[in-house]
């Protein structure tokens, strides 16, 4: 599996916010990772829509996690941003291949997907977030 840039930015934004005790802003995230403010803003909008981030407007506003880092599972975030991705089309769709009814490869790849998702579901944002000190050293 290769993640899209949007998923990558979403995970990085969540990791950054997990290190903060105060609110941040989109420009802080963009500057740290050297990415476009526009791209981060788009990702933050999606993160807020999915309930991972709160966006507060006005003086003293900014962005912050809406849930505790240990409550955010990477598998869920990846699925929200990537959708249900399959290694081959036949895993999620019937009747697209002549040998699909007896193909053993389909089962092997479906199991690989299941194992990968189970592993990502077992890892939380708290498990992968750097410390605020590590970010300060950058």
């Amino acid at each position: 599996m290769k993640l899209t840039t949007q998923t990558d930015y979403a995970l990085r934004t969540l990791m950054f916010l997990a290190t903060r005790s105060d609110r941040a802003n989109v420009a802080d995230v963009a500057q740290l990772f050297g990415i476009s403010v526009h791209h981060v803003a788009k990702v933050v909008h999606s993160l807020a829509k999915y309930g991972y981030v709160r966006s507060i407007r006005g003086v003293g506003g900014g962005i912050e996690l809406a849930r505790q880092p240990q409550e955010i599972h990477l598998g869920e975030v990846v699925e929200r941003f990537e959708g249900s991705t399959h290694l081959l089309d036949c895993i999620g769709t019937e009747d697209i291949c002549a040998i699909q009814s007896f193909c053993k490869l389909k089962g092997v790849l479906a199991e690989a997907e299941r194992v990968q998702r189970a592993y990502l579901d077992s890892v939380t944002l708290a498990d992968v977030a750097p410390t605020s000190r590590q970010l300060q050293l950058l």
Side-chain angles (χ1 to χ4, degrees):
M1 167 176 31
K2 180 170 172 55
L3 300 178
T4 62
T5 301
Q6 187 173 14
T7 304
D8 176 23
Y9 291 174
L11 292 169
R12 289 197 230 180
T13 299
L14 291 172
M15 290 170 62
F16 176 81
L17 293 175
T19 69
R20 306 284 298 227
S21 58
D22 58 342
R23 290 186 187 123
N25 61 55
V26 169
D28 295 333
V29 177
Q31 180 179 5
L32 176 70
F33 293 115
I35 54 182
S36 155
V37 172
H38 173 75
H39 283 106
V40 176
K42 184 177 176 183
V43 165
V44 165
H45 176 76
S46 295
L47 287 168
K49 179 176 77 172
Y50 297 140
Y52 299 115
V53 169
R54 260 190 304 272
S55 182
I56 296 92
R57 295 181 182 260
V59 176
I63 56 175
E64 63 188 12
L65 289 179
R67 297 171 22 193
Q68 294 297 314
Q70 60 272 20
E71 297 172 352
I72 299 174
H73 295 268
L74 299 188
E76 178 186 324
V77 176
V78 169
E79 186 169 334
R80 291 278 188 161
F81 278 85
E82 297 289 328
S84 293
T85 58
H86 294 294
L87 295 171
L88 291 175
D89 290 337
C90 63
I91 295 172
T93 308
E94 295 297 321
D95 299 324
I96 63 168
C97 176
I99 66 168
Q100 190 170 354
S101 65
F102 57 86
C103 180
K104 294 178 183 177
L105 179 61
K106 175 183 176 180
V108 168
L109 295 177
E111 178 64 8
E113 289 176 7
R114 187 197 66 72
V115 169
Q116 179 176 300
R117 174 61 195 260
Y119 176 70
L120 289 174
D121 283 342
S122 75
V123 180
T124 68
L125 180 58
D127 296 325
V128 298
T131 65
S132 57
R133 180 163 167 72
Q134 288 171 318
L135 290 184
Q136 290 171 356
L137 296 174
L138 295 177

